Amino acid sequence: MNEKQRLATTLVNPSDKKSEKDYSKYFERVYIPPSLKDAKKRGKEEVKYHKDFVIPEHLKGMGEGRKFYIRTYGCQMNEHDTEVMAGIFMQLGYKPTDSTEDADVILLNTCAIRENAENKVFGEIGHLKPLKMEKPDLILGVCGCMSQEESVVNKILKQYQYVDLIFGTHNIHRLPHLLNEAYMSKEMVVEVWSKEGDVIENLPKVRKGNIKAWVNIMYGCDKFCTYCIVPYTRGKERSRRPEDIIQEVRHLAAQGYKEITLLGQNVNAYGKDFDDIKYGLGDLMDELRKIDIARIRFTTSHPKDFDDRLIEVLAKGGNLVDHIHLPVQSGSSEILKLMARKYTREQYLELVQKIKKAIPNVSLTTDIIVGFPNETDEQFEETLSLYREVGFDSAYTFIYSPREGTPAAKMKDNVPMEVKKERLQRLNALVNEISAQKMKEYEGKVVEVLVEGESKNNPDILAGYTRKNKLVNFKGPKSAIGQLVKVKITKAKTWTLDGEMVEEQIGVTL
Ligand code: 5AD
Ligand code: SF4
């Protein structure tokens, strides 16, 4: 261990200490890495809810005259964490910038889901080196899922010693203190909690837009699918209390937001950790649908926990959209077993039937991994046949990527990379074929579009999304931005629709 590693600071056992003074007792001048082994052994500790986030008096104004830049990798959960960190920066007096050259603090909010996601981040840390050398006062920080991996922290300590700050996913609320430490310390500040944090309710947020908003309903994941790093990087399942979520959604509705996406790594496990009430996602959705907001979505689902109560509530429609993202991962029961998904191909298909019966017009999308260790041609064919049978609208498809510390990473893998790539291509061809077919059905129909702004490629064209999350490009007045309008589809492409705004509703609405 070199000098820098030895001196890197790590905070241990932070859960019940509130003030800066109390925390300081727990700073150790040795580096204690986050531990995947500990994550796997986690028990049923009580979750504490806090509403007492404040910027300490002595840190107020820390950002005066300074600018921050956050680059976000990965999923919507990470995007939303970035909104929280931006909120904290703003409360500290920092201003946002979208140029790294202009920034006084650069944070990389990282994703650990696959190796290529991690490689991109290491590439970026490398690119930022000359800037850091030129501007020694610049604070360069790495946070998010990768920071929760001990191998990543070790690599940064060894190979990227110019990084100033590393912190994880459980201690975002400590940002003011961590920045302060980074300014004061000549050494790299590392604060990663291997134990998940409590739920902090009143963190500030600077939301990216004023039309759509993300709302966390739970944190963490207890599913431990054999390929996935998330249960380790995001910790155990902790649900927010329903009243806090309902209040946040009401507040967003009052501010004029039109669409809410409820977020969690496994939203169907919502409420399972409550000891005092029996309350699940279906119950929550049943409350939320009474709020005057145009659309409510949720992501992401696990088929095992998708219960009848939720289906019954979703069938009520209204502001609950008829689009469900339901990751299947594989169409083979043997592979699903190796993945520890806890359902079979037949059970997944049964669930799909139940959903389609209750919500006849439902659109389903999914996630699929190809080339899982030892996946045979026949097993891959089962994935293709399941895809056709369900008739998904679209899918995110991935080649399996071994993640250190997960059970699948220890499995022997006899599928050559060329075979994995070929399977991905075949699957993508099917995904495109079915998507194109489904999109074609829209031609001549009228859809409801939530207009988000001008199209990226042409400022004369507006762009927005349907209830089923299809991107529609159409001609219309700028005054339509932020509104729900009716658009007649004139042309379907594989992934997007072209149309014309119509004054009144005509024909069927999809
Ligand atoms: N390799 C490839 N894909 C993965 N996913 C999660 N872990 C891995 C991995 N190790 C995919 C799953 C998940 C999505 C978010 O990422 O399909 O649903
Ligand atoms: Fe990536 Fe998962 Fe972390 Fe999201 S939660 S950033 S998908 S590793």
Side-chain angles (χ1 to χ4, degrees):
M1 193 182 267
N2 66 23
E3 180 68 355
K4 190 148 193 167
Q5 275 167 285
R6 202 169 55 74
L7 291 177
T9 54
T10 294
L11 183 71
V12 285
N13 189 17
S15 58
D16 52 359
K17 298 289 170 282
K18 288 201 184 78
S19 71
E20 172 77 345
K21 204 161 151 258
D22 283 335
Y23 274 121
S24 63
K25 281 194 268 175
Y26 287 84
F27 274 106
E28 288 200 354
R29 305 303 287 182
V30 286
Y31 170 62
I32 299 170
S35 156
L36 296 187
K37 267 203 210 109
D38 286 355
K40 277 191 220 155
K41 279 191 291 196
R42 68 190 172 218
K44 271 255 160 231
E45 301 91 354
E46 192 197 340
V47 175
K48 293 200 193 80
Y49 294 84
H50 302 269
K51 297 195 176 180
D52 52 1
F53 175 83
V54 279
I55 306 274
E57 230 14 79
H58 69 287
L59 300 183
K60 279 185 184 155
M62 181 206 270
E64 290 309 328
R66 288 172 166 157
K67 291 186 184 153
F68 73 95
Y69 172 97
I70 310 175
R71 180 161 298 169
T72 314
Y73 300 81
C75 65
Q76 293 164 327
M77 187 66 78
N78 258 22
E79 296 269 357
H80 189 47
D81 283 350
T82 290
E83 293 183 334
V84 172
M85 291 191 279
I88 298 175
F89 272 116
M90 300 293 271
Q91 280 201 351
L92 287 166
Y94 288 85
K95 295 262 178 309
T97 172
D98 46 20
S99 127
T100 48
E101 280 82 29
D102 251 10
D104 301 285
V105 182
I106 298 177
L107 289 187
L108 304 181
N109 187 5
T110 62
C111 171
I113 199 93
R114 280 169 294 273
E115 196 184 352
N116 55 2
E118 294 203 350
N119 290 343
K120 262 195 249 163
V121 171
F122 283 121
E124 186 57 23
I125 305 176
H127 282 142
L128 290 169
K129 186 174 182 181
L131 191 65
K132 173 70 194 172
M133 296 299 129
E134 212 178 282
K135 284 174 69 176
D137 290 341
L138 169 73
I139 300 282
L140 175 56
V142 178
C143 58
C145 290
M146 278 171 69
S147 317
Q148 292 292 143
E149 290 179 280
E150 54 194 274
S151 58
V152 168
V153 175
N154 287 333
K155 184 165 168 178
I156 296 175
L157 285 164
K158 245 212 224 108
Q159 295 175 28
Y160 303 90
Q161 300 194 354
Y162 52 93
V163 167
D164 301 284
L165 169 64
I166 307 179
F167 63 99
T169 55
H170 306 311
N171 50 345
I172 286 175
H173 59 288
R174 294 259 312 140
L175 186 57
H177 306 269
L178 295 172
L179 287 168
N180 192 40
E181 267 284 307
Y183 285 123
M184 316 262 275
S185 165
K186 286 201 191 72
E187 310 301 333
M188 195 187 299
V189 174
V190 183
E191 188 184 295
V192 179
W193 297 355
S194 50
K195 182 193 171 302
E196 41 283 326
D198 296 334
V199 174
I200 320 272
E201 273 305 335
N202 65 330
L203 292 172
K205 294 169 193 107
V206 176
R207 298 190 190 266
K208 223 161 120 193
N210 51 11
I211 303 170
K212 302 206 286 198
W214 290 303
V215 173
N216 276 126
I217 63 167
M218 62 183 302
Y219 305 94
C221 178
D222 285 347
K223 277 282 172 285
F224 288 100
C225 301
T226 54
Y227 53 80
C228 190
I229 193 81
V230 171
Y232 313 95
T233 60
R234 289 280 172 173
K236 71 169 177 172
E237 286 170 358
R238 288 101 67 207
S239 302
R240 287 180 71 198
R241 299 298 298 186
E243 56 276 16
D244 291 322
I245 299 168
I246 293 164
Q247 190 191 37
E248 185 172 347
V249 175
R250 279 211 187 108
H251 191 65
L252 290 164
Q255 286 175 290
Y257 283 88
K258 299 283 192 301
E259 184 176 309
I260 298 294
T261 303
L262 306 177
L263 292 181
Q265 259 83 31
N266 169 17
V267 288
N268 305 89
Y270 175 75
K272 290 203 162 158
D273 52 326
F274 294 150
D275 289 332
D276 55 336
I277 44 170
K278 205 174 160 312
Y279 194 92
L281 183 62
D283 303 306
L284 180 68
M285 298 297 273
D286 208 20
E287 287 292 324
L288 295 176
R289 76 186 178 83
K290 296 173 197 149
I291 298 176
D292 186 15
I293 194 151
R295 294 175 178 179
I296 301 180
R297 310 180 181 280
F298 58 93
T299 196
T300 194
S301 285
H302 190 294
K304 174 75 169 53
D305 294 327
F306 209 107
D307 59 24
D308 292 352
R309 167 80 176 130
L310 177 62
I311 299 176
E312 166 206 320
V313 173
L314 292 179
K316 295 181 187 179
N319 58 4
L320 308 182
V321 300
D322 44 7
H323 166 218
I324 300 170
H325 187 67
L326 195 60
V328 64
Q329 312 299 0
S330 166
S332 149
S333 295
E334 286 102 3
I335 294 292
L336 289 169
K337 190 152 190 216
L338 289 178
M339 289 176 164
R341 290 290 289 176
K342 301 181 180 80
Y343 55 84
T344 60
R345 171 193 177 95
E346 291 69 32
Q347 284 165 335
Y348 185 90
L349 288 171
E350 245 169 64
L351 174 64
V352 166
Q353 282 322 314
K354 240 198 260 179
I355 294 173
K356 284 186 175 171
K357 197 161 165 241
I359 314 163
N361 207 17
V362 73
S363 119
L364 295 169
T365 54
T366 198
D367 291 349
I368 294 175
I369 298 176
V370 301
F372 191 76
N374 304 312
E375 183 189 58
T376 63
D377 276 334
E378 293 73 31
Q379 288 166 338
F380 171 65
E381 291 291 339
E382 287 190 79
T383 297
L384 296 179
S385 73
L386 178 129
Y387 195 91
R388 241 183 229 290
E389 191 169 336
V390 175
F392 290 106
D393 275 32
S394 65
Y396 294 107
T397 57
F398 311 101
I399 289 181
Y400 165 71
S401 167
R403 309 310 298 127
E404 197 187 317
T406 61
K410 295 185 196 84
M411 294 178 191
K412 237 180 104 230
D413 186 359
N414 63 2
V415 189
M417 187 43 92
E418 309 88 76
V419 174
K420 293 180 197 255
K421 284 188 180 156
E422 193 201 300
R423 286 183 189 163
L424 184 71
Q425 273 177 10
R426 281 184 63 200
L427 175 61
N428 286 346
L430 178 65
V431 169
N432 290 356
E433 178 198 317
I434 296 186
S435 171
Q437 270 171 24
K438 298 234 165 204
M439 295 299 254
K440 200 87 189 146
E441 291 167 16
Y442 281 90
E443 281 184 356
K445 302 231 168 93
V446 171
V447 290
E448 179 203 81
V449 176
L450 175 56
V451 191
E452 292 193 17
E454 293 166 1
S455 140
K456 273 194 201 115
N457 310 324
N458 182 351
D460 296 332
I461 299 284
L462 297 180
Y465 287 86
T466 68
R467 286 169 69 87
K468 296 186 199 298
N469 230 5
K470 308 282 181 231
L471 177 59
V472 182
N473 292 304
F474 65 100
K475 282 207 193 80
K478 299 270 186 282
S479 58
I481 295 174
Q483 305 300 318
L484 290 154
V485 300
K486 300 284 176 200
V487 175
K488 183 169 186 189
I489 302 305
T490 50
K491 189 169 170 26
K493 300 180 175 165
T494 308
W495 299 114
T496 63
L497 300 166
D498 287 346
E500 282 160 8
M501 198 169 136
V502 289
E503 294 313 317
E504 283 165 306
Q505 185 175 352
I506 36 170
V508 197
T509 304
L510 278 177

